[in-house]
Amino acid sequence: MYENDADSGQASVTYQNAGRIFKSFFEEIGNVIVGQKEAVEQIVIALLCEGHALVESNPGLAKTLMISTISKAMNLKFSRIQCTPDLMPSDITGTYVIEEKEKGKEFRFEPGPVFANIVLADEINRASPKTQSALLEAMQEKQVTVGNDTYLLDRPFFILATQNPIEMEGTYPLPEAQLDRFLLKILLEYPSFEEEMEIVKRYTKSEVPQVTRGLDKSTLLNLQKLTRQVPISDELTQRALSIVTMTRKDKENIEYGASPRASIGLILAAKARALLEGRNFVSKEDVDTMAYPVLRHRIILTFEAERSGMSTDEAVEKILQKVK
């Protein structure tokens, strides 16, 4: 519940206008991004759930452009970290610098790029494990510790990371502990012929498409609160939990299943999708649809399943068929 009547009134107005807010927001995104409707929606779902997202695709499918466009449309502070093997943790979190003062020299903390509302960690699997671990505290605790001091990060705070699945040389695969901190793993597909034709037309003109603000910070914070208030039936809650627990029981295809964090994430993501669809209740379709991006990076297939060519999405599909 909200702390006072003013917050409650503002949230009520936001709820009544949610359909219009999302419609205008996606139209703004559509001015720059052609197609990729499902991927854009899933990134917004992660934002509504106060979660982080890992975006994976082959090169050239506008992962970086998509994330920067969404941040501009939300009028949030945006920073980009280009991950490389020589990137140090202090390059992300910030460091102390010596500053000349009238009374002498003193140390001053210089915040790093993680001090933003939306942080794009581009090609995160190119950063060393030591540098990747620097993001763990920020992702989980929404704070950064440097030396003996702890600095809170501004809300809302999201890390949207990208990785390229076909370039494995010089990369450091993310450990399962860090993968589990991403609410969703979002896959981008190649555009259709018609969509690619539109992309070529837009980006071969003298004027590059621009985006203006479509969603302000206070509205986003209200939408995050509303997401958690979307009701879900006990039956669908049990279904979500059954899907997650089945990943631990399906020893034929899955060696390691998902943690309880996945159960929380699946229910929250289903609530966010319902809100995005303009419904004040969670449907079975919401749960089943969000099972793929919530689980695909949290399960490890058996050697036999991998050898047969099974993907994690196919393993999730088999689980959905088993859970009644």
Side-chain angles (χ1 to χ4, degrees), residues 8-55:
S8 181
Q10 189 178 4
S12 177
V13 172
T14 301
Y15 176 73
Q16 292 169 7
N17 296 326
R20 178 185 56 79
I21 291 169
F22 287 130
K23 183 175 183 293
S24 62
F25 176 74
F26 286 118
E27 285 175 354
E28 250 341 284
I29 301 297
N31 292 333
V32 177
I33 303 298
V34 179
Q36 304 292 3
K37 182 175 182 289
E38 184 179 352
V40 173
E41 285 184 351
Q42 288 180 4
I43 290 176
V44 174
I45 285 171
L47 302 184
L48 291 176
C49 297
E50 301 180 72
H52 311 289
L54 179 64
V55 184

Side-chain angles (χ1 to χ4, degrees), residues 244-296:
V244 175
T245 54
M246 184 66 75
T247 65
R248 305 167 201 159
K249 298 175 182 177
D250 183 12
K251 297 302 182 183
E252 180 183 352
N253 299 313
I254 300 174
E255 187 171 358
Y256 296 104
S259 71
R261 187 182 280 132
S263 303
I264 297 170
L266 180 53
I267 291 173
L268 275 178
K271 288 185 173 190
R273 186 178 187 272
L275 185 65
L276 212 60
E277 295 284 330
R279 285 181 278 103
N280 60 355
F281 62 91
V282 175
S283 69
K284 177 177 177 289
E285 183 186 359
D286 294 326
V287 174
D288 290 1
T289 300
M290 297 314 301
Y292 293 95
V294 169
L295 295 175
R296 62 168 58 112

Side-chain angles (χ1 to χ4, degrees), residues 96-302:
Y96 286 99
V97 296
I98 299 176
E99 194 173 50
E100 293 282 354
K101 294 285 187 179
E102 292 181 2
K103 298 180 180 179
K105 298 178 181 179
E106 64 179 40
F107 284 99
R108 176 178 59 82
F109 179 67
E110 184 66 30
V114 78
F115 286 85
N117 298 119
I118 294 183
V119 179
L120 167 59
D122 214 359
E123 295 188 279
I124 189 171
N125 55 334
R126 290 202 173 278
S128 67
K130 185 176 182 180
T131 302
Q132 289 177 10
S133 66
L135 293 171
L136 284 177
E137 183 184 16
M139 292 172 70
Q140 187 65 27
E141 306 297 336
K142 305 291 195 300
Q143 65 182 29
V144 168
T145 301
V146 180
N148 295 323
D149 298 317
T150 299
Y151 302 90
L152 295 179
L153 297 168
D154 187 30
R155 299 292 183 95
F157 174 74
F158 312 103
I159 287 181
L160 300 176
T162 70
Q163 67 177 10
N164 178 351
I166 64 173
E167 291 182 11
M168 292 294 103
E169 187 175 349
T171 63
Y172 302 88
L174 274 68
E176 281 66 32
Q178 186 164 348
L179 280 172
D180 199 36
R181 277 157 172 92
F182 287 101
L183 175 66
L184 305 179
K185 181 179 181 180
I186 302 167
L187 304 180
L188 267 62
E189 304 294 340
Y190 281 109
S192 66
F193 184 86
E194 293 75 16
E195 289 171 344
E196 193 160 353
M197 179 68 77
E198 177 62 26
I199 291 169
V200 170
K201 287 180 179 178
R202 284 192 194 183
Y203 288 92
T204 55
K205 294 180 179 178
S206 57
E207 293 185 5
V208 178
Q210 298 292 330
V211 66
T212 57
R213 186 177 72 181
L215 190 65
D216 59 42
K217 186 174 177 179
S218 62
T219 302
L220 175 60
L221 291 172
N222 278 330
L223 288 170
Q224 288 177 341
K225 294 175 182 177
L226 288 170
T227 296
R228 292 178 176 270
Q229 294 181 348
V230 174
I232 180 172
S233 67
D234 290 343
E235 181 183 356
L236 285 178
T237 300
Q238 291 172 6
R239 177 175 178 79
L241 294 180
S242 297
I243 291 169
V244 175
T245 54
M246 184 66 75
T247 65
R248 305 167 201 159
K249 298 175 182 177
D250 183 12
K251 297 302 182 183
E252 180 183 352
N253 299 313
I254 300 174
E255 187 171 358
Y256 296 104
S259 71
R261 187 182 280 132
S263 303
I264 297 170
L266 180 53
I267 291 173
L268 275 178
K271 288 185 173 190
R273 186 178 187 272
L275 185 65
L276 212 60
E277 295 284 330
R279 285 181 278 103
N280 60 355
F281 62 91
V282 175
S283 69
K284 177 177 177 289
E285 183 186 359
D286 294 326
V287 174
D288 290 1
T289 300
M290 297 314 301
Y292 293 95
V294 169
L295 295 175
R296 62 168 58 112
H297 59 299
R298 289 186 162 101
I299 60 177
I300 298 176
L301 300 180
T302 61

